[in-house]
Amino acid sequence: MHKYSIYGLSIESDVEFMQLEKADDEKKADISIISRGCHEEVTDYLEKMGATQKRYEIGLEYSCFENKGGFYTIRDGKEIRYECRDGYTKEMVTGWLLGYCLAMALLQRGVLAIHCSAVVDATREGESAVLIAGEPGAGKSSTTRKLIEEGYKIMADDVAALTVSEEGAYVYPAFPYQKLCRNEVKSTDLDLDDLIYINEDKDKFLVPVKDKFVSSKRSVGFMAFLTVENVNEVKVKKMTGMDQLFAFKHNLFLHRLSGDWENNPKLGQLCLLAASKCPVYIIARPREGNSKERIVQIIGDIQKGKIL
């Protein structure tokens, strides 16, 4: 078995995750990932719940789903079981294990898996983390990369684990890699041959950022939500009221798997608490041109209190 650390948790797995940080072998695992027959269990449960069309069911104690790669069950935020379909290997389903499966396990543990990156301004000691979310194509990855070039360090790319309480909101580190599309990699001085290709139908690469990775939890300062609009210059606006709540609910990594689980009162309370502890700013950029430098400047101004 392999031992890893991610989102402040110890993971024990029978499949290797090359992008994860290795953990202390003596520490008891918080979550186990095991290859074990669950085909019949998943199909029977989905049929019983009337979920055969959507092929998944999400709950705060038990979740399961099936896809082209296999079958998966998630229990009590502690155990992930999977069974590969014919033609698929353990290594070929790692994306779903670290994606949907782990997000479901986090949900069961009362942790919000947010579809965003998380960065920290390394030039300012003790600085809180910034969450970078956005619409598809709004420039989340390229903005995160630009922030790293400007002296920020990264905690999470694509999915950030957020815990919330009356004391505040905290984000936990994922792994020291950033996912970039081929066109984004080509816009840098990175060599494609030195990167890890991810076969997840999106033509992406894992870009190492080990020397710019924050490996301990940080408080969260705010979320920057990027959009593309019919504007002539980059605009910024602070969200208020229910819009701020929806910014968290609609940016859950599992939001794309809609269902009754989204109306669970416990989840609603977590999102409401997150909204009360973490301000959200909408940053709208023009459809044409390169706005990365201006967006980075605005994010810095928010951190410095120049934009309230």
mmCIF file of all heavy atoms in Angstrom, residues 4-7 11 13 15-20 33 65 72 80 93-104 106 113 158-159 175 179 206 253:
data_model
loop_
_atom_site.group_PDB
_atom_site.id
_atom_site.type_symbol
_atom_site.label_atom_id
_atom_site.label_comp_id
_atom_site.label_asym_id
_atom_site.label_seq_id
_atom_site.Cartn_x
_atom_site.Cartn_y
_atom_site.Cartn_z
ATOM 1 N N TYR A 4 -0.020 8.656 1.272
ATOM 2 C CA TYR A 4 0.119 10.007 0.752
ATOM 3 C C TYR A 4 -0.548 11.010 1.683
ATOM 4 O O TYR A 4 -1.363 10.653 2.540
ATOM 5 C CB TYR A 4 -0.526 10.118 -0.638
ATOM 6 C CG TYR A 4 0.062 9.192 -1.671
ATOM 7 C CD1 TYR A 4 -0.596 8.020 -2.030
ATOM 8 C CD2 TYR A 4 1.275 9.484 -2.282
ATOM 9 C CE1 TYR A 4 -0.064 7.159 -2.985
ATOM 10 C CE2 TYR A 4 1.816 8.640 -3.238
ATOM 11 C CZ TYR A 4 1.146 7.476 -3.577
ATOM 12 O OH TYR A 4 1.683 6.631 -4.510
ATOM 13 N N SER A 5 -0.209 12.283 1.459
ATOM 14 C CA SER A 5 -0.821 13.381 2.192
ATOM 15 C C SER A 5 -1.474 14.326 1.201
ATOM 16 O O SER A 5 -0.848 14.751 0.228
ATOM 17 C CB SER A 5 0.234 14.129 3.015
ATOM 18 O OG SER A 5 -0.341 15.223 3.678
ATOM 19 N N ILE A 6 -2.738 14.656 1.430
ATOM 20 C CA ILE A 6 -3.455 15.605 0.588
ATOM 21 C C ILE A 6 -4.605 16.196 1.394
ATOM 22 O O ILE A 6 -5.269 15.488 2.152
ATOM 23 C CB ILE A 6 -3.977 14.945 -0.709
ATOM 24 C CG1 ILE A 6 -4.668 15.991 -1.603
ATOM 25 C CG2 ILE A 6 -4.889 13.767 -0.421
ATOM 26 C CD1 ILE A 6 -5.068 15.468 -2.978
ATOM 27 N N TYR A 7 -4.809 17.514 1.274
ATOM 28 C CA TYR A 7 -5.881 18.214 1.971
ATOM 29 C C TYR A 7 -5.815 18.029 3.485
ATOM 30 O O TYR A 7 -6.842 17.970 4.165
ATOM 31 C CB TYR A 7 -7.247 17.770 1.456
ATOM 32 C CG TYR A 7 -7.435 17.956 -0.029
ATOM 33 C CD1 TYR A 7 -8.024 16.959 -0.809
ATOM 34 C CD2 TYR A 7 -7.021 19.128 -0.673
ATOM 35 C CE1 TYR A 7 -8.205 17.123 -2.170
ATOM 36 C CE2 TYR A 7 -7.196 19.294 -2.040
ATOM 37 C CZ TYR A 7 -7.786 18.285 -2.780
ATOM 38 O OH TYR A 7 -7.961 18.450 -4.144
ATOM 39 N N ILE A 11 -3.721 9.487 3.197
ATOM 40 C CA ILE A 11 -4.406 8.581 2.282
ATOM 41 C C ILE A 11 -3.607 7.289 2.139
ATOM 42 O O ILE A 11 -2.400 7.328 1.881
ATOM 43 C CB ILE A 11 -4.573 9.214 0.880
ATOM 44 C CG1 ILE A 11 -5.236 10.588 0.979
ATOM 45 C CG2 ILE A 11 -5.359 8.283 -0.038
ATOM 46 C CD1 ILE A 11 -6.654 10.579 1.442
ATOM 47 N N SER A 13 -3.461 3.914 -0.178
ATOM 48 C CA SER A 13 -3.985 3.518 -1.480
ATOM 49 C C SER A 13 -3.227 2.332 -2.068
ATOM 50 O O SER A 13 -2.017 2.198 -1.873
ATOM 51 C CB SER A 13 -3.893 4.707 -2.451
ATOM 52 O OG SER A 13 -4.205 4.330 -3.765
ATOM 53 N N VAL A 15 -3.150 2.007 -5.278
ATOM 54 C CA VAL A 15 -2.719 2.498 -6.585
ATOM 55 C C VAL A 15 -1.794 3.687 -6.349
ATOM 56 O O VAL A 15 -1.974 4.459 -5.407
ATOM 57 C CB VAL A 15 -3.924 2.908 -7.469
ATOM 58 C CG1 VAL A 15 -4.748 3.996 -6.815
ATOM 59 C CG2 VAL A 15 -3.460 3.360 -8.850
ATOM 60 N N GLU A 16 -0.803 3.848 -7.182
ATOM 61 C CA GLU A 16 0.183 4.910 -7.010
ATOM 62 C C GLU A 16 -0.295 6.214 -7.638
ATOM 63 O O GLU A 16 -0.789 6.231 -8.758
ATOM 64 C CB GLU A 16 1.518 4.497 -7.634
ATOM 65 C CG GLU A 16 2.642 5.485 -7.392
ATOM 66 C CD GLU A 16 3.974 5.017 -7.927
ATOM 67 O OE1 GLU A 16 4.002 3.973 -8.616
ATOM 68 O OE2 GLU A 16 4.984 5.677 -7.648
ATOM 69 N N PHE A 17 -0.136 7.307 -6.891
ATOM 70 C CA PHE A 17 -0.433 8.648 -7.387
ATOM 71 C C PHE A 17 0.882 9.420 -7.459
ATOM 72 O O PHE A 17 1.383 9.902 -6.435
ATOM 73 C CB PHE A 17 -1.414 9.368 -6.458
ATOM 74 C CG PHE A 17 -2.757 8.698 -6.333
ATOM 75 C CD1 PHE A 17 -3.092 8.016 -5.179
ATOM 76 C CD2 PHE A 17 -3.669 8.752 -7.364
ATOM 77 C CE1 PHE A 17 -4.332 7.400 -5.041
ATOM 78 C CE2 PHE A 17 -4.913 8.139 -7.255
ATOM 79 C CZ PHE A 17 -5.239 7.460 -6.087
ATOM 80 N N MET A 18 1.432 9.545 -8.646
ATOM 81 C CA MET A 18 2.757 10.147 -8.789
ATOM 82 C C MET A 18 2.790 11.622 -8.405
ATOM 83 O O MET A 18 3.853 12.149 -8.054
ATOM 84 C CB MET A 18 3.255 9.963 -10.224
ATOM 85 C CG MET A 18 2.431 10.677 -11.271
ATOM 86 S SD MET A 18 3.037 10.369 -12.946
ATOM 87 C CE MET A 18 2.594 8.637 -13.154
ATOM 88 N N GLN A 19 1.638 12.312 -8.431
ATOM 89 C CA GLN A 19 1.641 13.740 -8.148
ATOM 90 C C GLN A 19 1.483 14.066 -6.664
ATOM 91 O O GLN A 19 1.680 15.213 -6.266
ATOM 92 C CB GLN A 19 0.531 14.448 -8.941
ATOM 93 C CG GLN A 19 -0.900 14.055 -8.566
ATOM 94 C CD GLN A 19 -1.427 12.930 -9.403
ATOM 95 O OE1 GLN A 19 -0.797 11.895 -9.514
ATOM 96 N NE2 GLN A 19 -2.600 13.130 -10.001
ATOM 97 N N LEU A 20 1.154 13.077 -5.830
ATOM 98 C CA LEU A 20 0.902 13.348 -4.425
ATOM 99 C C LEU A 20 2.179 13.306 -3.586
ATOM 100 O O LEU A 20 3.128 12.604 -3.900
ATOM 101 C CB LEU A 20 -0.112 12.351 -3.851
ATOM 102 C CG LEU A 20 -1.516 12.357 -4.456
ATOM 103 C CD1 LEU A 20 -2.448 11.503 -3.612
ATOM 104 C CD2 LEU A 20 -2.062 13.759 -4.596
ATOM 105 N N ILE A 33 -8.098 3.844 -0.069
ATOM 106 C CA ILE A 33 -8.544 3.651 -1.454
ATOM 107 C C ILE A 33 -8.155 2.235 -1.857
ATOM 108 O O ILE A 33 -6.975 1.908 -1.938
ATOM 109 C CB ILE A 33 -7.895 4.683 -2.399
ATOM 110 C CG1 ILE A 33 -8.264 6.112 -1.954
ATOM 111 C CG2 ILE A 33 -8.335 4.451 -3.835
ATOM 112 C CD1 ILE A 33 -7.599 7.203 -2.780
ATOM 113 N N PHE A 65 -20.965 5.811 -7.812
ATOM 114 C CA PHE A 65 -21.193 6.178 -9.208
ATOM 115 C C PHE A 65 -20.480 5.189 -10.115
ATOM 116 O O PHE A 65 -19.633 4.401 -9.672
ATOM 117 C CB PHE A 65 -20.732 7.616 -9.488
ATOM 118 C CG PHE A 65 -19.248 7.844 -9.437
ATOM 119 C CD1 PHE A 65 -18.490 7.866 -10.606
ATOM 120 C CD2 PHE A 65 -18.599 8.065 -8.229
ATOM 121 C CE1 PHE A 65 -17.114 8.098 -10.573
ATOM 122 C CE2 PHE A 65 -17.227 8.300 -8.180
ATOM 123 C CZ PHE A 65 -16.490 8.315 -9.360
ATOM 124 N N TYR A 72 -17.519 2.836 -8.372
ATOM 125 C CA TYR A 72 -16.887 3.445 -7.206
ATOM 126 C C TYR A 72 -17.902 3.590 -6.066
ATOM 127 O O TYR A 72 -19.058 3.959 -6.297
ATOM 128 C CB TYR A 72 -16.333 4.834 -7.554
ATOM 129 C CG TYR A 72 -15.591 4.888 -8.862
ATOM 130 C CD1 TYR A 72 -16.282 5.021 -10.068
ATOM 131 C CD2 TYR A 72 -14.201 4.791 -8.917
ATOM 132 C CE1 TYR A 72 -15.608 5.053 -11.285
ATOM 133 C CE2 TYR A 72 -13.518 4.834 -10.128
ATOM 134 C CZ TYR A 72 -14.228 4.961 -11.308
ATOM 135 O OH TYR A 72 -13.575 4.995 -12.518
ATOM 136 N N ILE A 80 -12.813 4.495 0.104
ATOM 137 C CA ILE A 80 -13.150 4.551 -1.318
ATOM 138 C C ILE A 80 -12.820 3.188 -1.921
ATOM 139 O O ILE A 80 -11.680 2.726 -1.841
ATOM 140 C CB ILE A 80 -12.341 5.654 -2.040
ATOM 141 C CG1 ILE A 80 -12.706 7.041 -1.490
ATOM 142 C CG2 ILE A 80 -12.583 5.607 -3.551
ATOM 143 C CD1 ILE A 80 -11.801 8.158 -1.968
ATOM 144 N N VAL A 93 -7.677 5.095 -13.878
ATOM 145 C CA VAL A 93 -8.823 5.674 -13.164
ATOM 146 C C VAL A 93 -8.381 6.612 -12.034
ATOM 147 O O VAL A 93 -9.220 7.064 -11.244
ATOM 148 C CB VAL A 93 -9.758 4.567 -12.611
ATOM 149 C CG1 VAL A 93 -10.273 3.685 -13.734
ATOM 150 C CG2 VAL A 93 -9.074 3.738 -11.539
ATOM 151 N N THR A 94 -7.088 6.918 -11.953
ATOM 152 C CA THR A 94 -6.606 7.770 -10.863
ATOM 153 C C THR A 94 -7.248 9.163 -10.880
ATOM 154 O O THR A 94 -7.469 9.759 -9.826
ATOM 155 C CB THR A 94 -5.077 7.920 -10.912
ATOM 156 O OG1 THR A 94 -4.683 8.407 -12.203
ATOM 157 C CG2 THR A 94 -4.388 6.586 -10.639
ATOM 158 N N GLY A 95 -7.550 9.676 -12.074
ATOM 159 C CA GLY A 95 -8.175 10.995 -12.165
ATOM 160 C C GLY A 95 -9.522 11.034 -11.472
ATOM 161 O O GLY A 95 -9.858 12.011 -10.780
ATOM 162 N N TRP A 96 -10.317 9.968 -11.631
ATOM 163 C CA TRP A 96 -11.631 9.913 -10.985
ATOM 164 C C TRP A 96 -11.497 9.645 -9.491
ATOM 165 O O TRP A 96 -12.290 10.153 -8.700
ATOM 166 C CB TRP A 96 -12.489 8.834 -11.652
ATOM 167 C CG TRP A 96 -12.825 9.180 -13.062
ATOM 168 C CD1 TRP A 96 -13.461 10.303 -13.506
ATOM 169 C CD2 TRP A 96 -12.521 8.403 -14.231
ATOM 170 N NE1 TRP A 96 -13.575 10.273 -14.890
ATOM 171 C CE2 TRP A 96 -13.013 9.124 -15.359
ATOM 172 C CE3 TRP A 96 -11.893 7.174 -14.453
ATOM 173 C CZ2 TRP A 96 -12.894 8.646 -16.660
ATOM 174 C CZ3 TRP A 96 -11.788 6.704 -15.747
ATOM 175 C CH2 TRP A 96 -12.274 7.434 -16.840
ATOM 176 N N LEU A 97 -10.489 8.890 -9.099
ATOM 177 C CA LEU A 97 -10.280 8.617 -7.675
ATOM 178 C C LEU A 97 -9.911 9.895 -6.922
ATOM 179 O O LEU A 97 -10.417 10.158 -5.820
ATOM 180 C CB LEU A 97 -9.181 7.562 -7.483
ATOM 181 C CG LEU A 97 -9.520 6.143 -7.960
ATOM 182 C CD1 LEU A 97 -8.285 5.239 -7.863
ATOM 183 C CD2 LEU A 97 -10.669 5.545 -7.146
ATOM 184 N N LEU A 98 -9.022 10.702 -7.511
ATOM 185 C CA LEU A 98 -8.607 11.955 -6.874
ATOM 186 C C LEU A 98 -9.606 13.083 -7.109
ATOM 187 O O LEU A 98 -9.561 14.095 -6.406
ATOM 188 C CB LEU A 98 -7.235 12.392 -7.387
ATOM 189 C CG LEU A 98 -6.028 11.580 -6.928
ATOM 190 C CD1 LEU A 98 -4.742 12.189 -7.453
ATOM 191 C CD2 LEU A 98 -5.971 11.473 -5.408
ATOM 192 N N GLY A 99 -10.489 12.906 -8.095
ATOM 193 C CA GLY A 99 -11.486 13.925 -8.405
ATOM 194 C C GLY A 99 -12.793 13.686 -7.676
ATOM 195 O O GLY A 99 -12.966 14.067 -6.517
ATOM 196 N N TYR A 100 -13.729 13.048 -8.368
ATOM 197 C CA TYR A 100 -15.066 12.830 -7.805
ATOM 198 C C TYR A 100 -15.038 12.037 -6.501
ATOM 199 O O TYR A 100 -15.702 12.393 -5.525
ATOM 200 C CB TYR A 100 -15.955 12.111 -8.815
ATOM 201 C CG TYR A 100 -16.392 12.969 -9.972
ATOM 202 C CD1 TYR A 100 -16.387 12.480 -11.275
ATOM 203 C CD2 TYR A 100 -16.813 14.275 -9.774
ATOM 204 C CE1 TYR A 100 -16.791 13.271 -12.337
ATOM 205 C CE2 TYR A 100 -17.211 15.074 -10.828
ATOM 206 C CZ TYR A 100 -17.204 14.559 -12.115
ATOM 207 O OH TYR A 100 -17.601 15.347 -13.160
ATOM 208 N N CYS A 101 -14.270 10.937 -6.463
ATOM 209 C CA CYS A 101 -14.263 10.086 -5.265
ATOM 210 C C CYS A 101 -13.790 10.857 -4.036
ATOM 211 O O CYS A 101 -14.435 10.824 -2.977
ATOM 212 C CB CYS A 101 -13.380 8.861 -5.473
ATOM 213 S SG CYS A 101 -14.066 7.625 -6.591
ATOM 214 N N LEU A 102 -12.680 11.552 -4.171
ATOM 215 C CA LEU A 102 -12.136 12.275 -3.024
ATOM 216 C C LEU A 102 -13.034 13.451 -2.637
ATOM 217 O O LEU A 102 -13.195 13.755 -1.449
ATOM 218 C CB LEU A 102 -10.718 12.751 -3.327
ATOM 219 C CG LEU A 102 -9.841 13.112 -2.127
ATOM 220 C CD1 LEU A 102 -9.867 12.017 -1.068
ATOM 221 C CD2 LEU A 102 -8.417 13.378 -2.562
ATOM 222 N N ALA A 103 -13.645 14.093 -3.628
ATOM 223 C CA ALA A 103 -14.568 15.200 -3.331
ATOM 224 C C ALA A 103 -15.779 14.692 -2.550
ATOM 225 O O ALA A 103 -16.265 15.360 -1.631
ATOM 226 C CB ALA A 103 -15.008 15.880 -4.617
ATOM 227 N N MET A 104 -16.264 13.505 -2.896
ATOM 228 C CA MET A 104 -17.391 12.910 -2.169
ATOM 229 C C MET A 104 -16.980 12.535 -0.754
ATOM 230 O O MET A 104 -17.757 12.711 0.198
ATOM 231 C CB MET A 104 -17.906 11.681 -2.927
ATOM 232 C CG MET A 104 -18.588 12.009 -4.238
ATOM 233 S SD MET A 104 -19.079 10.516 -5.157
ATOM 234 C CE MET A 104 -19.615 11.244 -6.716
ATOM 235 N N LEU A 106 -14.619 14.035 1.000
ATOM 236 C CA LEU A 106 -14.488 15.295 1.726
ATOM 237 C C LEU A 106 -15.856 15.814 2.161
ATOM 238 O O LEU A 106 -16.017 16.291 3.297
ATOM 239 C CB LEU A 106 -13.786 16.339 0.856
ATOM 240 C CG LEU A 106 -12.296 16.119 0.588
ATOM 241 C CD1 LEU A 106 -11.782 17.127 -0.429
ATOM 242 C CD2 LEU A 106 -11.479 16.207 1.871
ATOM 243 N N ALA A 113 -15.177 20.837 -1.091
ATOM 244 C CA ALA A 113 -14.233 20.733 -2.209
ATOM 245 C C ALA A 113 -14.649 21.777 -3.246
ATOM 246 O O ALA A 113 -15.642 21.601 -3.955
ATOM 247 C CB ALA A 113 -14.261 19.330 -2.805
ATOM 248 N N ASP A 158 -7.227 23.483 -9.345
ATOM 249 C CA ASP A 158 -8.448 22.810 -9.790
ATOM 250 C C ASP A 158 -9.410 22.506 -8.643
ATOM 251 O O ASP A 158 -10.590 22.774 -8.754
ATOM 252 C CB ASP A 158 -8.118 21.530 -10.565
ATOM 253 C CG ASP A 158 -9.295 21.035 -11.389
ATOM 254 O OD1 ASP A 158 -9.989 21.889 -11.978
ATOM 255 O OD2 ASP A 158 -9.529 19.826 -11.434
ATOM 256 N N VAL A 159 -8.916 21.930 -7.534
ATOM 257 C CA VAL A 159 -9.790 21.643 -6.389
ATOM 258 C C VAL A 159 -9.093 22.059 -5.095
ATOM 259 O O VAL A 159 -7.965 21.641 -4.837
ATOM 260 C CB VAL A 159 -10.155 20.144 -6.305
ATOM 261 C CG1 VAL A 159 -11.098 19.897 -5.122
ATOM 262 C CG2 VAL A 159 -10.790 19.656 -7.590
ATOM 263 N N PHE A 175 -1.543 19.164 -3.985
ATOM 264 C CA PHE A 175 -0.277 18.561 -4.399
ATOM 265 C C PHE A 175 0.510 19.559 -5.251
ATOM 266 O O PHE A 175 -0.073 20.472 -5.838
ATOM 267 C CB PHE A 175 -0.503 17.248 -5.158
ATOM 268 C CG PHE A 175 -1.563 17.327 -6.230
ATOM 269 C CD1 PHE A 175 -1.262 17.808 -7.494
ATOM 270 C CD2 PHE A 175 -2.858 16.904 -5.976
ATOM 271 C CE1 PHE A 175 -2.227 17.871 -8.490
ATOM 272 C CE2 PHE A 175 -3.835 16.964 -6.970
ATOM 273 C CZ PHE A 175 -3.513 17.451 -8.217
ATOM 274 N N LYS A 179 -2.276 21.891 -13.300
ATOM 275 C CA LYS A 179 -2.762 21.352 -14.567
ATOM 276 C C LYS A 179 -2.872 22.486 -15.582
ATOM 277 O O LYS A 179 -3.528 23.492 -15.329
ATOM 278 C CB LYS A 179 -4.143 20.704 -14.397
ATOM 279 C CG LYS A 179 -4.171 19.481 -13.507
ATOM 280 C CD LYS A 179 -5.594 18.935 -13.393
ATOM 281 C CE LYS A 179 -5.659 17.753 -12.460
ATOM 282 N NZ LYS A 179 -7.050 17.248 -12.302
ATOM 283 N N LEU A 206 0.537 17.910 -16.325
ATOM 284 C CA LEU A 206 0.887 18.242 -14.949
ATOM 285 C C LEU A 206 2.227 18.973 -14.950
ATOM 286 O O LEU A 206 3.236 18.418 -15.370
ATOM 287 C CB LEU A 206 0.989 16.973 -14.092
ATOM 288 C CG LEU A 206 -0.306 16.358 -13.577
ATOM 289 C CD1 LEU A 206 0.001 15.101 -12.782
ATOM 290 C CD2 LEU A 206 -1.077 17.345 -12.714
ATOM 291 N N PHE A 253 -16.977 21.398 -6.380
ATOM 292 C CA PHE A 253 -16.483 20.546 -7.455
ATOM 293 C C PHE A 253 -17.561 19.560 -7.912
ATOM 294 O O PHE A 253 -17.622 19.199 -9.086
ATOM 295 C CB PHE A 253 -15.248 19.785 -6.983
ATOM 296 C CG PHE A 253 -14.618 18.931 -8.046
ATOM 297 C CD1 PHE A 253 -13.899 19.504 -9.080
ATOM 298 C CD2 PHE A 253 -14.760 17.552 -8.030
ATOM 299 C CE1 PHE A 253 -13.324 18.723 -10.071
ATOM 300 C CE2 PHE A 253 -14.189 16.764 -9.005
ATOM 301 C CZ PHE A 253 -13.471 17.351 -10.033
#
